[in-house]
Amino acid sequence: MSETNAIGPVVRALNILRALNHQPQSSLQSLHQATGLPKSTIHRLLATLKSEGYVRADVVKGTYTLTEKVLCLSEGFSEPELVVEVGAPIVLKSTRATGLPLALGTLDRGHIVVRYSSMPYSPIGSEHTTVGHVHGLVHSGMGQAYLAYCGQAERDRLLQWMQASLPEPGLWPAVEQDIQHQLAITRRRGYGLRKGQGRGSSTTLAVPLAHGERVLGVLSLTTFGALLTPERLRECVEQLDRTRQEICAAVGARLAQG
């Protein structure tokens, strides 16, 4: 069987799952109207979906419904994943319009991991890409933006994780004092900041990407520190905020669609 012929049944099965998702119960006729597929094809695919546990049939009523097993299909896709999916095209558009190198990061096991970077499309990127870079929550721009603006309950859990990871419990008071100091500065400034050390080093600015009271990810800008004059810094922060608002609005719209 060719690759094209193999894909066809998969696409048709997905169309049926989407149609089933739009109403509590569906008949063969309603699925035929929704998908345009022949009833014989629908019946055959429903039998397969039923045998795999994704569809339940009511023989008396002649209707079909989705089972709870379909929830397993979405467990690997979270709201932070949505931030990357929705945000990446917006970030790329912003970079192509302004030349500014941007990146998206999400929380992963107590660190911020860069999931998308538009550096390859920027003339002032400090390296080819930052995808895969891992940043701490206190002394990186992305980490500061996340930790300073996430909810108190989440922040408390992250701080507990940091405390537990210390080699000696007695070190925690001094470490916590430094953390609280950094967070206070970040909130007062309005964005996370990691300043480059030395000539030719890079600097990162970062802002949180939130939906309601939840921080789902971080948007950052990393470039050579020498380029960030006071006026240029202000322009970069304003562009970061505009891009942040666009991403948050797009994520909110997607979540509202269910």
Side-chain angles (χ1 to χ4, degrees):
M1 181 183 292
S2 69
E3 183 178 354
T4 301
N5 290 336
I7 291 173
V10 176
V11 173
R12 290 191 284 273
L14 290 173
N15 286 338
I16 290 173
L17 285 173
R18 279 192 289 267
L20 286 165
N21 190 53
H22 287 158
Q23 50 191 354
Q25 296 182 333
S26 301
S27 65
L28 199 62
Q29 177 62 26
S30 67
L31 290 173
H32 167 65
Q33 293 175 338
T35 64
L37 295 172
K39 290 182 180 180
S40 58
T41 299
I42 296 173
H43 189 271
R44 184 174 67 253
L45 291 173
L46 284 171
T48 301
L49 292 170
K50 181 182 175 183
S51 68
E52 292 298 315
Y54 293 104
V55 170
R56 182 183 299 111
D58 187 323
V59 179
V60 176
K61 295 181 179 179
T63 58
Y64 300 86
T65 59
L66 295 175
T67 71
E68 62 279 359
K69 191 175 180 180
V70 298
L71 297 174
C72 298
L73 300 175
S74 65
E75 285 182 350
F77 191 80
S78 62
E79 290 177 351
E81 297 288 341
L82 180 61
V83 165
V84 179
E85 180 186 285
V86 171
I90 296 173
V91 163
L92 180 57
K93 180 184 69 174
S94 177
T95 295
R96 284 177 166 162
T98 66
L100 297 175
L102 305 175
L104 294 168
T106 59
L107 185 71
D108 184 10
R109 287 169 288 189
H111 296 83
I112 301 296
V113 178
V114 178
R115 303 288 307 284
Y116 177 79
S117 171
S118 65
M119 272 195 181
Y121 306 94
S122 170
I124 56 172
S126 58
E127 51 190 303
H128 178 65
T129 184
T130 56
V131 171
H133 286 199
V134 178
H135 301 288
L137 292 174
V138 181
H139 298 293
S140 71
M142 295 185 100
Q144 291 169 8
Y146 192 98
L147 192 60
Y149 292 99
C150 66
Q152 186 63 52
E154 182 178 11
R155 187 180 305 111
D156 288 343
R157 289 194 296 270
L158 290 170
L159 291 176
Q160 289 170 5
W161 176 83
M162 291 183 208
Q163 183 178 10
S165 66
L166 289 177
E168 298 180 25
L171 297 174
W172 178 244
V175 171
E176 183 180 24
Q177 184 178 10
D178 176 53
I179 292 172
Q180 297 298 343
H181 176 67
Q182 292 290 345
L183 297 184
I185 291 175
T186 300
R187 294 190 192 101
R188 186 163 58 248
R189 188 173 48 223
Y191 56 90
L193 173 65
R194 176 195 61 79
K195 290 185 177 180
Q197 302 297 321
R199 186 177 179 84
S201 61
S202 65
T203 291
T204 295
L205 318 173
V207 292
L209 297 170
H211 177 68
E213 297 182 357
R214 282 197 61 201
V215 173
L216 305 180
V218 183
L219 172 68
S220 72
L221 185 159
T222 300
T223 189
F224 297 104
L227 298 177
L228 295 175
T229 62
E231 181 179 358
R232 186 60 171 157
L233 174 63
R234 184 170 58 254
E235 292 173 354
C236 288
V237 171
E238 290 174 353
Q239 183 59 39
L240 264 180
D241 189 58
R242 283 192 291 270
T243 307
R244 177 193 64 79
Q245 291 183 43
E246 186 174 355
I247 293 173
C248 290
V251 168
R254 281 285 297 274
L255 291 173
Q257 293 173 2

